[in-house]
Amino acid sequence: MNIPDIIIAIDGYSSTGKSTLAKLIAEQYSFLYLDSGAMYRGVTLHALENGIIDASGTIDEARLKSALENLDLDFRIDGTYIGDRRVEQDIRTLEVSSHVSPVSAIPFVRNYVDEKLHAFGQRKRVVMDGRDIGTTVFPDAEVKIFMTASPEVRAQRRFDEMKAKGQEPVMEEVMKNLLERDYIDSHREVSPLSRAADAYVMDNSDMTLHEETVWFQGLCQGKFGILE
Ligand code: DC
């Protein structure tokens, strides 16, 4: 099946499998996959490593603002980079996860990331996942998907993912982090997580990845007609 040169926006709660589906779509249809959360995680990692976030979690916004002027955060074919350093693993720790939501709620941080995302979206055939892609970053995206799943299923997925990476997660902490991020992401003032009116909702609590791809094909066939 071929799909036209479009932008596909996949938004939703943490650990709903947005990136898994997005990567699969990118692979199947030769789209470029962009993980917008990685940009917010990169900013957060940089802030943590440079003492811009203190032990109590307070963010020095003035310092962060000037740090962003020189922060060379980029997507490359093999992941996220700060300058020449590949930070793909370092941005996925529980420490980064537990500070990223407040960092991503800061308006100048959102502007910094949005500028980068827009530049990448200039070329079509892009699938991007995040929280506000269909509402704010690419409101004209031709296909918008909003993903959700029960908190229990999501916490288990995150737990398994961390274990597989050799980390030692504690289920209560994983669940707490997930619920906190849900709350902050959907209640912040600027671009909160919300479903675009024209987004298709997928609750994948009980779906296999194969069922998700069949669902996506059905959506595209309905939208673009029968595709070769
Ligand atoms: O998708 P993720 O869990 O890696 O995203 C990390 C954080 O980044 C998430 O808690 C909220 C923020 N984020 C955002 O505010 N807007 C986006 N488009 C993507 C992520």
Side-chain angles (χ1 to χ4, degrees):
M1 186 178 87
N2 276 319
I3 39 183
D5 291 352
I6 56 167
I7 293 185
I8 302 170
I10 304 185
D11 290 304
Y13 294 97
S14 306
S15 301
T16 44
K18 299 184 294 293
S19 66
T20 307
L21 178 61
K23 278 181 203 159
L24 202 73
I25 291 173
E27 204 176 288
Q28 282 182 337
Y29 303 105
S30 304
F31 271 51
L32 176 69
Y33 165 59
L34 295 172
D35 169 5
S36 66
M39 293 281 104
Y40 292 103
R41 288 173 177 274
V43 171
T44 306
L45 177 70
H46 185 72
L48 283 165
E49 289 184 340
N50 288 281
I52 294 172
I53 302 176
D54 71 16
S56 70
T58 305
I59 304 164
D60 184 335
E61 292 199 16
R63 277 188 64 206
L64 182 56
K65 195 168 190 176
S66 67
L68 291 188
E69 283 166 23
N70 299 310
L71 180 62
D72 176 19
L73 193 55
D74 197 13
F75 288 120
R76 295 192 199 162
I77 196 82
D78 61 338
T80 310
Y81 278 75
I82 293 180
D84 285 332
R85 172 181 163 211
R86 185 171 180 271
V87 292
E88 201 48 40
Q89 301 292 329
D90 298 345
I91 59 173
R92 317 240 171 236
T93 60
L94 193 55
E95 198 198 5
V96 170
S97 295
S98 58
H99 291 97
V100 65
S101 282
V103 170
S104 67
I106 300 171
F108 65 76
V109 173
R110 300 206 72 80
N111 289 339
Y112 170 85
V113 171
D114 281 357
E115 240 175 65
K116 292 191 178 284
L117 299 179
H118 278 136
F120 283 111
Q122 289 310 311
R123 44 180 291 192
K124 289 278 177 157
R125 296 192 87 76
V126 167
V127 51
M128 190 178 292
D129 75 349
R131 303 294 187 290
D132 63 339
I133 308 305
T135 50
T136 304
V137 182
F138 293 117
D140 297 330
E142 290 85 349
V143 171
K144 299 180 186 177
I145 300 172
F146 188 85
M147 290 178 70
T148 183
S150 74
E152 290 73 21
V153 168
R154 294 190 286 133
Q156 188 65 51
R157 284 180 190 154
R158 179 55 61 107
F159 182 88
D160 294 344
E161 225 173 73
M162 293 172 81
K163 273 226 117 130
K165 283 183 193 151
Q167 299 172 14
E168 292 185 6
V170 176
M171 183 50 101
E172 289 70 31
E173 283 174 18
V174 174
M175 178 63 100
K176 184 168 169 276
N177 174 253
L178 193 102
L179 297 178
E180 270 172 14
R181 285 169 61 201
D182 281 359
Y183 185 85
I184 301 175
D185 293 347
S186 37
H187 287 81
R188 65 174 174 237
E189 247 170 68
V190 187
S191 294
L193 167 66
S194 71
R195 180 176 81 84
D198 52 351
Y200 295 86
V201 178
M202 173 194 283
D203 181 335
N204 67 2
S205 303
D206 299 309
M207 284 170 86
T208 63
L209 195 53
H210 177 68
E211 287 168 336
E212 291 183 29
T213 57
V214 172
W215 181 97
F216 176 73
Q217 282 171 5
L219 189 161
C220 288
Q221 280 171 346
K223 246 184 127 56
F224 305 116
I226 301 297
L227 303 159
E228 283 306 311

